[in-house]
Amino acid sequence: MGEISESEQENLVSVACQAADLARDITLSYFRQPSLIAENKDESGYDPVTLADKQAELAIRTLLKDKRPNDAILGEEYGETPGTSGLTWVLDPIDGTRGFVSGTPTWGTLISVRDADGPLMGLIDQPYIGERFLGGFGFSELRRGGQVSALSVRPTAALNKAILLSTFPEIGTSTEREIFEKLSNEVQLTRYGMDCYGYALLAAGTVDLVVEAGLNAYDIQAPIAVIQAAGGIVTDWHGNPAHEGGRALAASCTAIHRAALEVLSKIEPAQN
């Protein structure tokens, strides 16, 4: 599609924020409540989904049908809805449902807009803390408590001084975990179980790396937009685009990205 006008960009950001507001109200009505019930979507493991996931996505879809009827939608809970505009909204109403059902504030709502080439704009919203990380169309910012501050990654140059976040060993194959642990052994500090909030912290300049595997497109496209707008880099473990999910390496700067790739790229490329 052609270049998106400034007014269209403003509209997309406005609608994304309206959608995140709707999801906030719904998810917070369930979070840390004794009545919260999670269903398991994975017969061989544990992949929880709650009514909050489903209701939040339905609310966003209803809003988009009204505000952006020509755009396509890809959502975790209700799949694909075709469109004609060349733009697709990519939705994960609760990224980190394990954290959500555990009461930890590391989950978030992921909303992004993409074209055929990849994410254009996205947000990571953490309702309980009240933080919204946005990026795309030439801006990156954190909105919290009525205040707005710029997002910017930090330029840590040495891998042995880096902070690494991940959901390993919760996700990924045994081979992926083995390669990840080699990288973990080379950094200064590794922290686990951060869900999408890890990507937000990278964009905010407090950590240097986020490494994941087993992702879907709706898990990574909003983080890609936010991190890239803040000056960071997101690829797969071989330096290729990670828009469609799979393995992801998010880095604060070129030097850290290159150093991490030297370790992670030793794994065989994923089969499509």
Side-chain angles (χ1 to χ4, degrees):
M1 62 177 297
E3 185 176 347
I4 299 176
S5 68
E6 184 175 342
S7 61
E8 180 78 346
Q9 292 176 14
E10 291 174 354
N11 178 262
L12 290 167
V13 173
S14 174
V15 172
C17 288
Q18 292 175 54
D21 288 342
L22 287 173
R24 272 192 181 193
D25 291 341
I26 293 168
T27 55
L28 286 179
S29 71
Y30 287 92
F31 185 54
R32 294 187 178 176
Q33 297 301 311
S35 58
L36 177 65
I37 298 174
E39 301 173 11
N40 186 13
K41 297 189 292 184
D42 187 352
E43 293 181 0
S44 61
Y46 184 57
D47 184 13
V49 61
T50 70
L51 281 176
D53 294 85
K54 296 177 180 179
Q55 290 181 4
E57 184 169 320
L58 286 174
I60 295 173
R61 285 175 175 270
T62 299
L63 176 74
L64 293 177
K65 184 178 180 180
D66 177 46
K67 301 288 186 180
R68 306 283 311 183
N70 297 323
D71 297 344
I73 301 173
L74 170 63
E76 178 179 14
E77 304 306 332
Y78 294 102
E80 297 184 57
T81 299
T84 59
S85 68
L87 297 177
T88 300
W89 291 81
V90 184
L91 313 174
D92 192 347
I94 299 179
D95 180 85
T97 305
R98 292 178 179 88
F100 184 81
V101 301
S102 303
T104 59
T106 55
W107 55 278
T109 297
L110 303 181
I111 299 172
S112 62
V113 178
R114 70 164 295 169
D115 63 9
D117 297 321
L120 300 170
M121 179 275 297
L123 66 80
I124 303 169
D125 193 68
Q126 211 310 303
Y128 190 74
I129 298 174
E131 292 180 334
R132 182 168 297 168
F133 303 80
L134 298 105
F137 302 136
F139 81 98
S140 61
E141 62 188 35
L142 166 61
R143 300 179 184 179
R144 180 179 182 182
Q147 302 296 312
V148 178
S149 56
L151 293 172
S152 181
V153 295
R154 65 181 189 176
T156 303
L159 193 59
N160 64 0
K161 299 296 184 183
I163 299 175
L164 166 63
L165 302 181
S166 183
T167 51
F168 276 108
E170 188 174 86
I171 49 96
T173 66
S174 58
T175 302
E176 289 168 340
R177 192 171 307 155
E178 181 180 349
I179 295 291
F180 166 80
E181 288 173 354
K182 290 181 179 179
L183 177 63
S184 178
N185 289 336
E186 295 196 24
V187 303
Q188 185 175 67
L189 173 66
T190 302
R191 301 291 293 170
Y192 298 98
M194 298 304 293
D195 301 316
C196 64
Y197 197 63
Y199 295 106
L201 293 178
L202 193 151
T206 67
V207 305
D208 307 287
L209 290 165
V210 180
V211 175
E212 305 262 54
L215 301 179
N216 292 290
Y218 45 75
D219 297 314
I220 193 62
Q221 293 203 15
I224 287 173
V226 174
I227 289 171
Q228 289 182 341
I233 303 165
V234 186
T235 68
D236 70 7
W237 291 12
H238 289 86
N240 301 312
H243 303 156
E244 303 309 322
R247 303 165 183 156
L249 163 63
S252 58
C253 64
T254 301
I256 288 293
H257 182 259
R258 185 184 303 116
L261 274 183
E262 288 182 6
V263 179
L264 296 175
S265 63
K266 292 181 171 61
I267 196 170
E268 290 294 321
Q271 300 297 315
N272 295 325

